[in-house]
Each structure stands twice: as structure tokens, then as C-alpha cells.
Amino acid sequence: MRALLALLLLAGCAQAQSPEQALPGFSTNTALRAIDLSELRGGGPPKDGIPSIDDPQFVSVDVASSWLADREPVILLTVEDETRIYPLQILTWHEIVNDELGGVPVAITFCPLCYSAIALDRRIPTDEGERTLTFGVSGMLRFSDMVMFDRETETLWQQFNGEALVGDLLGTTLTLLPAQIVSFSQARDVAPDAPVLSRETGHQRDYGRNPYAGYDDVDKRPFLFDGEDNGQLPPMQRVIAVTAGEAARAYPADLTLERGVVADELGGQPLVVFHIEGTATALGEAEIAAARDVGATGVFDPRVDGQTLTFERRGDRFVDAETASAWTITGEAVDGELAGTQLETVLHHDTFAFAWFAFRPDATVFAE
């Protein structure tokens, strides 16, 4: 079954579906839609063929260390001062975790085809008051990105930006929460007491193995992507995708990893991009722990108490010139005059260029 799943996902055997065939097994209200149903592509597995995790179990970082390598990528999410760690070796096989963190219902999602790790608030406002949704994997793609569905109304949602595409909740956009992809060792360093999503998911999968081996080669083409080529960057180029107000920009990851720190202004807001070595890609080798290093990133507002700090990377920390304080990849000062200070996070995604430009065709590319 696992081999068949990988084959269906990557062989390109799925074809574009006609509007009449586009929603098999769904009770979605297709009369309400923001897209043509022909934009939906069958990715291979059917509805719930990739099972979401709806009752997540957690273990300590010490227990997780027995099966999670230091370099392996994880999603680090903090909500209302509560932090949890979600390994991509698990998310690659399930794509959605419905959880509650800091008293907030959240969906932690990962689309391997876009390398997009998106955390979403599952609450939406309605005329009858606040409503909490539970999400599953539809089996459909749009611009090669996962299309989710909620189990309450079967509205279809775009994973990348949290927008309702088809169904009763059309016009609703989920709130995106700042999440980072970092290595397990980096997550353990900054949050040693954070629970780690357990491999006890109720499903048998080759956790730690990558069914998309070699997919993130920069010379390849995206799977089932029929959008326009932006032409500014190779489609499979890794970028740090940043939004500030109405403005959007792509920072090529090879540039940011080489420099370590990039200072910029976007939409009138100063920002700083941190990029540090030590995190493997989840899509390179068959064994995730053996994959090449693509680093971990963070994007922050560099202002503290009215002062704009300037940074440089030093070893596994970032140091500001103004106070000589040392900062982590998560934007926390751990040494020096500003120890204990947390930089304000700027929403960003580590993703492929084609995905960013598909949803933000107005995005610019950082250039010196």
C-alpha cells in the first residue's frame, strides 16, 4: 500500500478531472465556488486516502530522540505560550494534524509537493457564533498544493493560504499562525520540555522514510502543476516567502543560507531573515536523516524598544551589533543585555518558488 501511494503521488498518472467528476464522494455545495472545478486535480489517493491525525499523541523529547535524528526537520509551533514539536517524518505521511494548543484549536499541515508547513486556527466566525472545524485531506490538488476539506460542511480549502474554495463556507479565510521548520536538535535546544508528536498514530507507515525521494531537485518540474511559470526563479527553487501588509517577497534560500542574515524592508516594515545550517530536507533522500542540509529560517521584526538591531550569524547563534546579545533561530535572545527578549515574528513560509508565485503572483524577488 505504501509503495502504491508513493507511485500514485509521484508517477504523474492522475489526470485533470471534468467538473462533473471533480468531487467524487463529497457532499460539497459546488454551487458556491470561487474557482472553476476543473482547476482541481486528482493527486492519486482518494478522500482520506492520506489520513489526517485527529487524536494526536505526544512523547517527551527524550523519548523522541530514540527515533528522531538531530538533523531531521520538524515544525515548531507556539500558541499562547504553549509549544509543541511536529516531525515532518510523520506529517509527510499524514499532511494534517488536528490539535489544540494553548487552548486554541489548530491544524498543523504540510504539503510535501509545495514544501509548505502551514499552521491554521481551526475556529471561524459564523452568524451563530464561533465554530471549530476539523480538517481532512481531500486527495485533490490545486496548483500542486493540497486541497483540504472540513468534516463539518465538506467545504474545500486551499492549504497554502487557508482560503475556502468551494462550499458553504466560501468567503472564509482561516487565520494563519507563525510556525517554523527547524531541526529536531534546534527545537530541543529552545524548547526542551515541548511535547513531540508521537509515531503512535493508529496507522502503519514507514516513519523516517521519504516516499518523495529526490522530489526537491531544483531541475525538476512540480508534480501536476499547470500554473504559469513566473520566470523570475526556477520553479523548484527554495525560497523564504514573506508577507508584510499587502506586500509579498521571495528570498532565494541559497542566498540567505550563504549570508546567514538578510536585512530588508517590505511593505514599510523592517525585517530580518535568519538562516542557519543544520536542518535536513524532508524530500531529498529515501532516509530523511541522511538528506542534504537546507538549513532553518526565521523572519523577524528587528526593532526592540524603539531601536532597530543589526545582526550577523556567528556559529549557531545570531548576534546584534548594538548590544552583543546572542539570539536563536526562533528569535529569542539567550545571552547578553537583551537575554529573555523575543523578537516579533513576521509570517513566512519555506516553500518552492512555483507555489509562492502561484498564490502571490505580485510577489517580488529580493535583490541587492
Side-chain angles (χ1 to χ4, degrees), residues 111-361:
C111 178
L113 300 178
C114 293
Y115 213 86
S116 51
I118 311 291
L120 304 153
D121 189 327
R122 295 192 283 121
R123 300 171 299 181
I124 62 168
T126 70
D127 293 339
E128 291 75 34
E130 186 177 271
R131 186 175 191 181
T132 297
L133 304 176
T134 306
F135 292 95
V137 181
S138 73
M140 291 179 280
L141 304 170
R142 178 172 176 261
F143 299 141
S144 198
D145 180 55
M146 171 178 41
V147 174
M148 312 183 300
F149 73 98
D150 69 76
R151 302 190 188 282
E152 289 72 24
T153 73
E154 298 216 334
T155 295
L156 302 183
W157 303 78
Q158 192 78 61
Q159 180 256 0
F160 200 90
N161 55 24
E163 292 184 2
L165 300 174
V166 184
D168 290 335
L169 297 178
L170 185 70
T172 305
T173 299
L174 301 168
T175 299
L176 274 62
L177 305 170
Q180 283 181 273
I181 298 177
V182 299
S183 73
F184 177 52
S185 65
Q186 290 162 345
R188 185 177 54 205
D189 179 35
V190 300
D193 298 322
V196 182
L197 181 67
S198 169
R199 282 177 159 183
E200 298 301 318
T201 63
H203 301 275
Q204 294 295 318
R205 297 291 187 274
D206 281 339
Y207 299 125
R209 301 282 296 178
N210 164 32
Y212 306 86
Y215 177 74
D216 62 352
D217 186 325
V218 72
D219 294 323
K220 289 193 173 182
R221 294 291 303 175
F223 177 68
L224 287 182
F225 178 69
D226 51 10
E228 295 184 8
D229 190 339
N230 181 271
Q232 297 187 71
L233 293 170
M236 297 294 287
Q237 168 73 57
R238 287 178 178 270
V239 298
I240 298 95
V242 181
T243 303
E246 298 298 318
R249 184 162 294 159
Y251 297 81
D254 52 358
L255 182 152
T256 56
L257 183 57
E258 177 184 0
R259 290 192 178 182
V261 175
V262 171
D264 197 15
E265 183 175 298
L266 181 63
Q269 177 182 323
L271 60 84
V272 60
V273 179
F274 289 174
H275 201 156
I276 197 167
E277 296 88 348
T279 305
T281 172
L283 303 183
E285 302 297 328
E287 191 76 24
I288 294 176
R292 74 183 184 282
D293 192 333
V294 295
T297 70
V299 183
F300 307 98
D301 186 327
R303 296 172 292 187
V304 175
D305 296 331
Q307 181 181 36
T308 300
L309 304 180
T310 53
F311 297 88
E312 66 174 344
R313 185 179 62 195
R314 293 186 191 172
D316 63 352
R317 293 288 187 258
F318 302 86
V319 178
D320 71 79
E322 289 72 21
T323 74
S325 299
W327 305 75
T328 67
I329 188 61
T330 59
E332 181 185 2
V334 292
D335 190 28
E337 180 182 330
L338 295 177
T341 302
Q342 175 66 53
L343 296 175
E344 182 180 347
T345 300
V346 176
L347 189 67
H348 79 285
H349 309 310
D350 295 319
T351 188
F352 297 129
F354 82 87
W356 186 228
F357 290 126
F359 296 103
R360 289 303 303 258

